[in-house]
Coordinates of all heavy atoms in Angstrom, one line a residue:
Chain A
P51 N -70.9 -48.3 65.9 CA -71.0 -48.6 64.5 C -72.3 -48.4 63.9 O -72.4 -48.0 62.7 CB -70.6 -50.1 64.4 CG -69.8 -50.3 65.7 CD -70.4 -49.4 66.7
A52 N -73.4 -48.6 64.6 CA -74.7 -48.4 64.1 C -75.0 -47.0 63.6 O -75.4 -46.7 62.5 CB -75.7 -48.8 65.1
R53 N -74.7 -46.1 64.5 CA -74.9 -44.7 64.2 C -74.0 -44.2 63.0 O -74.4 -43.5 62.1 CB -74.8 -43.8 65.4 CG -76.0 -43.9 66.3 CD -76.0 -42.8 67.3 NE -75.0 -43.0 68.4 CZ -74.7 -42.1 69.3 NH1 -75.4 -41.0 69.4 NH2 -73.8 -42.4 70.2
A54 N -72.7 -44.7 63.1 CA -71.8 -44.3 62.0 C -72.3 -44.8 60.7 O -72.2 -44.1 59.7 CB -70.4 -44.9 62.3
W55 N -72.9 -46.0 60.7 CA -73.4 -46.5 59.4 C -74.6 -45.7 58.9 O -74.7 -45.5 57.7 CB -73.7 -48.0 59.5 CG -74.4 -48.6 58.3 CD1 -75.6 -49.0 58.2 CD2 -73.8 -48.7 57.0 NE1 -75.9 -49.4 56.9 CE2 -74.8 -49.2 56.1 CE3 -72.6 -48.3 56.4 CZ2 -74.6 -49.5 54.8 CZ3 -72.4 -48.6 55.1 CH2 -73.4 -49.1 54.3
V56 N -75.4 -45.2 59.8 CA -76.5 -44.4 59.4 C -76.0 -43.2 58.5 O -76.6 -42.9 57.5 CB -77.3 -43.9 60.6 CG1 -78.4 -42.9 60.2 CG2 -77.9 -45.1 61.3
I57 N -75.0 -42.6 59.0 CA -74.4 -41.4 58.3 C -73.8 -41.9 57.0 O -74.1 -41.4 55.9 CB -73.4 -40.7 59.1 CG1 -74.0 -40.2 60.5 CG2 -72.8 -39.5 58.3 CD1 -75.1 -39.2 60.3
L58 N -73.0 -42.9 57.1 CA -72.2 -43.3 55.9 C -73.2 -43.8 54.7 O -72.9 -43.6 53.6 CB -71.2 -44.4 56.2 CG -70.4 -44.9 55.0 CD1 -69.5 -43.8 54.6 CD2 -69.5 -46.1 55.4
S59 N -74.2 -44.4 55.1 CA -75.1 -45.0 54.1 C -76.0 -43.9 53.5 O -76.8 -44.2 52.6 CB -76.0 -46.1 54.7 OG -76.7 -45.6 55.8
D60 N -75.9 -42.7 54.0 CA -76.8 -41.7 53.4 C -75.8 -40.7 52.7 O -75.1 -39.9 53.3 CB -77.5 -41.0 54.6 CG -78.3 -39.8 54.1 OD1 -78.3 -39.5 52.9 OD2 -79.0 -39.1 54.9
L61 N -75.9 -40.7 51.4 CA -74.9 -40.0 50.6 C -75.0 -38.5 50.9 O -74.1 -37.7 50.9 CB -75.1 -40.3 49.1 CG -73.9 -39.9 48.3 CD1 -72.7 -40.7 48.7 CD2 -74.2 -40.2 46.8
K62 N -76.3 -38.0 51.1 CA -76.5 -36.6 51.4 C -75.8 -36.2 52.7 O -75.2 -35.1 52.8 CB -78.0 -36.3 51.5 CG -78.6 -36.0 50.1 CD -80.0 -35.5 50.2 CE -80.6 -35.3 48.8 NZ -82.0 -35.3 48.8
A63 N -75.9 -37.1 53.7 CA -75.3 -36.8 55.0 C -73.8 -36.8 54.8 O -73.1 -35.9 55.4 CB -75.7 -37.9 56.0
V64 N -73.3 -37.7 54.0 CA -71.8 -37.8 53.8 C -71.4 -36.5 53.1 O -70.4 -35.9 53.5 CB -71.4 -39.0 53.0 CG1 -70.0 -39.0 52.5 CG2 -71.7 -40.3 53.7
A65 N -72.1 -36.1 52.1 CA -71.8 -34.8 51.4 C -71.8 -33.7 52.4 O -70.9 -32.8 52.3 CB -72.7 -34.6 50.2
G66 N -72.7 -33.7 53.3 CA -72.8 -32.6 54.3 C -71.6 -32.5 55.2 O -71.3 -31.5 55.7
C67 N -71.0 -33.7 55.4 CA -69.8 -33.7 56.2 C -68.5 -33.2 55.5 O -67.5 -32.9 56.1 CB -69.6 -35.1 56.8 SG -70.9 -35.7 57.8
M68 N -68.6 -33.3 54.2 CA -67.4 -32.9 53.4 C -67.3 -31.4 53.2 O -68.2 -30.8 52.7 CB -67.5 -33.6 52.0 CG -66.3 -33.4 51.1 SD -64.7 -34.0 51.9 CE -64.7 -35.6 51.2
P69 N -66.3 -30.8 53.7 CA -66.2 -29.3 53.6 C -66.3 -28.9 52.2 O -65.6 -29.4 51.3 CB -64.8 -29.0 54.2 CG -64.4 -30.2 55.0 CD -65.1 -31.4 54.4
G70 N -67.2 -28.0 51.9 CA -67.3 -27.4 50.6 C -68.1 -28.2 49.6 O -68.3 -27.8 48.5
A71 N -68.6 -29.4 50.0 CA -69.3 -30.2 49.1 C -70.8 -30.1 49.3 O -71.3 -29.8 50.4 CB -68.9 -31.7 49.3
E72 N -71.5 -30.3 48.2 CA -73.0 -30.4 48.3 C -73.5 -31.3 47.1 O -72.9 -31.4 46.1 CB -73.6 -29.0 48.2 CG -73.2 -28.2 47.0 CD -74.0 -26.9 46.9 OE1 -75.0 -26.7 47.6 OE2 -73.7 -26.2 46.0
L73 N -74.7 -31.9 47.4 CA -75.4 -32.6 46.4 C -76.5 -31.7 45.9 O -77.3 -31.2 46.7 CB -75.9 -34.0 46.9 CG -74.8 -35.0 47.3 CD1 -75.5 -36.3 47.8 CD2 -73.9 -35.3 46.1
T74 N -76.6 -31.5 44.6 CA -77.6 -30.6 44.1 C -78.8 -31.2 43.5 O -79.9 -30.6 43.4 CB -77.0 -29.6 43.1 OG1 -76.3 -30.4 42.1 CG2 -76.0 -28.7 43.7
E75 N -78.6 -32.5 43.1 CA -79.7 -33.1 42.4 C -79.6 -34.6 42.4 O -78.5 -35.1 42.3 CB -79.7 -32.6 40.9 CG -80.9 -33.0 40.1 CD -80.7 -32.6 38.6 OE1 -79.8 -31.7 38.3 OE2 -81.4 -33.1 37.7
Q76 N -80.7 -35.3 42.7 CA -80.7 -36.7 42.6 C -81.1 -37.2 41.3 O -82.2 -36.9 40.8 CB -81.6 -37.3 43.7 CG -81.5 -38.8 43.8 CD -82.0 -39.4 45.1 OE1 -82.5 -38.7 46.0 NE2 -81.9 -40.7 45.3
L77 N -80.2 -37.9 40.6 CA -80.5 -38.3 39.2 C -81.2 -39.7 39.2 O -82.0 -39.9 38.3 CB -79.2 -38.4 38.4 CG -78.4 -37.1 38.3 CD1 -77.1 -37.3 37.7 CD2 -79.2 -36.0 37.6
S78 N -80.9 -40.6 40.1 CA -81.5 -41.9 40.2 C -81.3 -42.3 41.7 O -80.8 -41.6 42.5 CB -80.9 -42.8 39.2 OG -79.6 -43.2 39.7
D79 N -81.7 -43.6 41.9 CA -81.5 -44.1 43.3 C -80.1 -44.1 43.7 O -79.8 -43.9 44.9 CB -82.0 -45.6 43.3 CG -83.6 -45.6 43.4 OD1 -84.2 -44.5 43.5 OD2 -84.1 -46.7 43.3
T80 N -79.2 -44.2 42.8 CA -77.8 -44.3 43.1 C -76.9 -43.3 42.5 O -75.7 -43.3 42.6 CB -77.3 -45.7 42.6 OG1 -77.4 -45.8 41.2 CG2 -78.0 -46.9 43.3
S81 N -77.5 -42.3 41.9 CA -76.7 -41.3 41.2 C -77.1 -39.9 41.6 O -78.3 -39.5 41.6 CB -76.9 -41.5 39.7 OG -75.9 -40.7 39.0
Y82 N -76.1 -39.1 41.9 CA -76.3 -37.7 42.3 C -75.5 -36.7 41.5 O -74.3 -37.0 41.2 CB -76.0 -37.5 43.8 CG -76.9 -38.4 44.7 CD1 -76.6 -39.7 44.9 CD2 -78.0 -37.8 45.3 CE1 -77.4 -40.5 45.7 CE2 -78.8 -38.6 46.2 CZ -78.5 -39.9 46.4 OH -79.2 -40.7 47.2
K83 N -76.0 -35.5 41.4 CA -75.2 -34.4 40.8 C -74.8 -33.6 42.0 O -75.5 -33.4 42.9 CB -76.1 -33.6 39.9 CG -75.5 -33.2 38.6 CD -76.5 -32.4 37.8 CE -75.9 -32.2 36.4 NZ -76.9 -31.5 35.5
G84 N -73.6 -33.1 41.9 CA -73.1 -32.3 43.0 C -71.8 -31.5 42.7 O -71.4 -31.5 41.6
G85 N -71.3 -30.9 43.8 CA -70.1 -30.1 43.5 C -69.3 -30.0 44.8 O -69.8 -30.3 45.9
V86 N -68.0 -29.7 44.6 CA -67.2 -29.4 45.8 C -66.3 -28.2 45.5 O -65.7 -28.1 44.3 CB -66.4 -30.7 46.2 CG1 -65.5 -31.2 45.1 CG2 -65.5 -30.4 47.5
K87 N -66.1 -27.3 46.4 CA -65.3 -26.1 46.2 C -64.1 -26.2 47.1 O -64.3 -26.4 48.3 CB -66.2 -24.9 46.6 CG -65.6 -23.6 46.1 CD -66.6 -22.5 46.4 CE -66.0 -21.1 45.9 NZ -66.9 -20.0 46.3
V88 N -63.0 -26.1 46.5 CA -61.7 -26.1 47.3 C -61.0 -24.8 47.1 O -60.8 -24.4 45.9 CB -60.8 -27.3 46.9 CG1 -59.6 -27.5 47.8 CG2 -61.6 -28.6 46.8
K89 N -60.5 -24.2 48.2 CA -59.8 -23.0 48.0 C -58.5 -23.1 48.7 O -58.4 -23.5 49.9 CB -60.6 -21.9 48.7 CG -60.0 -20.5 48.5 CD -60.9 -19.4 49.0 CE -60.3 -18.1 48.9 NZ -61.1 -17.0 49.4
V90 N -57.4 -23.0 48.0 CA -56.1 -23.0 48.6 C -55.4 -21.7 48.2 O -55.0 -21.5 47.1 CB -55.2 -24.2 48.2 CG1 -53.9 -24.2 48.8 CG2 -55.9 -25.5 48.5
G91 N -55.3 -20.8 49.2 CA -54.7 -19.5 48.9 C -55.6 -18.8 47.8 O -56.8 -18.8 47.9
P92 N -55.0 -18.3 46.8 CA -55.8 -17.6 45.8 C -56.4 -18.5 44.8 O -57.2 -18.1 43.9 CB -54.7 -16.7 45.0 CG -53.4 -17.5 45.2 CD -53.5 -18.2 46.5
A93 N -56.0 -19.8 44.8 CA -56.6 -20.8 43.8 C -57.9 -21.4 44.3 O -57.9 -21.9 45.4 CB -55.6 -21.8 43.5
V94 N -58.9 -21.2 43.5 CA -60.2 -21.8 43.9 C -60.6 -22.8 42.8 O -60.5 -22.5 41.6 CB -61.3 -20.7 43.9 CG1 -62.6 -21.3 44.3 CG2 -60.9 -19.6 44.9
A95 N -60.9 -24.0 43.2 CA -61.4 -24.9 42.2 C -62.8 -25.3 42.6 O -63.1 -25.6 43.8 CB -60.5 -26.1 42.1
Q96 N -63.7 -25.3 41.7 CA -65.1 -25.7 41.9 C -65.4 -26.8 41.0 O -65.7 -26.6 39.8 CB -66.0 -24.5 41.7 CG -67.5 -24.8 42.1 CD -68.2 -23.6 42.7 OE1 -67.8 -22.5 42.4 NE2 -69.2 -23.9 43.5
F97 N -65.3 -28.0 41.6 CA -65.6 -29.2 40.8 C -67.1 -29.5 40.8 O -67.7 -29.6 41.8 CB -64.8 -30.4 41.3 CG -63.3 -30.3 41.2 CD1 -62.6 -29.9 42.3 CD2 -62.7 -30.6 40.0 CE1 -61.2 -29.8 42.2 CE2 -61.3 -30.4 39.9 CZ -60.6 -30.1 41.0
G98 N -67.6 -29.6 39.6 CA -69.0 -30.0 39.4 C -69.1 -31.4 38.8 O -68.3 -31.6 37.8
G99 N -69.9 -32.3 39.2 CA -69.9 -33.6 38.5 C -71.0 -34.5 39.1 O -72.0 -34.1 39.7
I100 N -70.7 -35.8 38.9 CA -71.7 -36.8 39.3 C -71.0 -37.8 40.3 O -69.8 -38.1 40.2 CB -72.0 -37.7 38.0 CG1 -72.4 -36.9 36.9 CG2 -73.0 -38.8 38.4 CD1 -73.8 -36.4 36.8
V101 N -71.9 -38.2 41.3 CA -71.4 -39.2 42.2 C -72.4 -40.4 42.1 O -73.6 -40.3 42.1 CB -71.5 -38.7 43.7 CG1 -70.9 -39.8 44.6 CG2 -70.7 -37.4 43.9
D102 N -71.8 -41.6 41.9 CA -72.5 -42.8 41.7 C -72.2 -43.7 42.9 O -71.1 -43.9 43.3 CB -72.2 -43.5 40.4 CG -72.7 -42.8 39.2 OD1 -73.9 -42.5 39.2 OD2 -71.9 -42.6 38.3
V103 N -73.3 -44.3 43.5 CA -73.1 -45.3 44.5 C -73.0 -46.6 43.7 O -74.0 -47.1 43.1 CB -74.3 -45.4 45.5 CG1 -74.1 -46.4 46.5 CG2 -74.5 -44.0 46.1
L104 N -71.8 -47.2 43.7 CA -71.6 -48.4 42.9 C -72.1 -49.7 43.8 O -72.5 -50.7 43.2 CB -70.2 -48.6 42.5 CG -69.6 -47.5 41.7 CD1 -68.1 -47.8 41.3 CD2 -70.4 -47.3 40.4
E105 N -72.0 -49.5 45.1 CA -72.3 -50.7 45.9 C -72.7 -50.2 47.3 O -72.0 -49.3 47.8 CB -71.1 -51.6 46.0 CG -71.4 -53.0 46.6 CD -70.1 -53.8 46.9 OE1 -69.1 -53.6 46.2 OE2 -70.2 -54.6 47.8
Q106 N -73.8 -50.7 47.8 CA -74.1 -50.3 49.2 C -74.4 -51.7 49.9 O -75.5 -52.3 49.7 CB -75.3 -49.4 49.2 CG -75.8 -49.0 50.7 CD -76.7 -47.9 50.7 OE1 -77.0 -47.3 49.6 NE2 -77.3 -47.5 51.8
D107 N -73.5 -52.1 50.8 CA -73.6 -53.4 51.4 C -73.9 -53.2 52.9 O -73.0 -52.9 53.7 CB -72.3 -54.2 51.2 CG -72.4 -55.6 51.7 OD1 -73.3 -55.9 52.6 OD2 -71.5 -56.4 51.3
T108 N -75.2 -53.3 53.2 CA -75.6 -53.0 54.6 C -75.0 -54.0 55.5 O -74.5 -53.7 56.6 CB -77.1 -53.0 54.7 OG1 -77.6 -52.1 53.7 CG2 -77.6 -52.6 56.0
A109 N -74.9 -55.3 55.1 CA -74.4 -56.3 56.0 C -73.0 -56.1 56.4 O -72.5 -56.2 57.5 CB -74.5 -57.7 55.3
A110 N -72.2 -55.7 55.4 CA -70.8 -55.4 55.6 C -70.5 -53.9 56.0 O -69.4 -53.5 56.3 CB -69.9 -55.8 54.4
Q111 N -71.6 -53.1 56.0 CA -71.5 -51.7 56.3 C -70.5 -51.0 55.4 O -69.6 -50.3 55.8 CB -71.2 -51.4 57.8 CG -72.2 -52.1 58.7 CD -72.2 -51.5 60.1 OE1 -72.5 -50.3 60.2 NE2 -72.0 -52.3 61.1

Side-chain angles (χ1 to χ4, degrees):
Chain A
R53 282 193 289 173
W55 173 245
V56 172
I57 302 294
L58 182 64
S59 59
D60 177 359
L61 202 59
K62 276 190 183 156
V64 172
C67 296
M68 182 61 92
E72 57 172 351
L73 294 180
T74 52
E75 191 183 342
Q76 183 159 5
L77 301 171
S78 73
D79 283 353
T80 59
S81 190
Y82 297 82
K83 227 180 187 172
V86 59
K87 191 174 182 186
V88 189
K89 186 175 178 182
V90 179
V94 182
Q96 184 145 22
F97 294 100
I100 308 279
V101 184
D102 288 310
V103 181
L104 300 182
E105 191 187 336
Q106 179 167 356
D107 184 340
T108 307
Q111 305 202 57

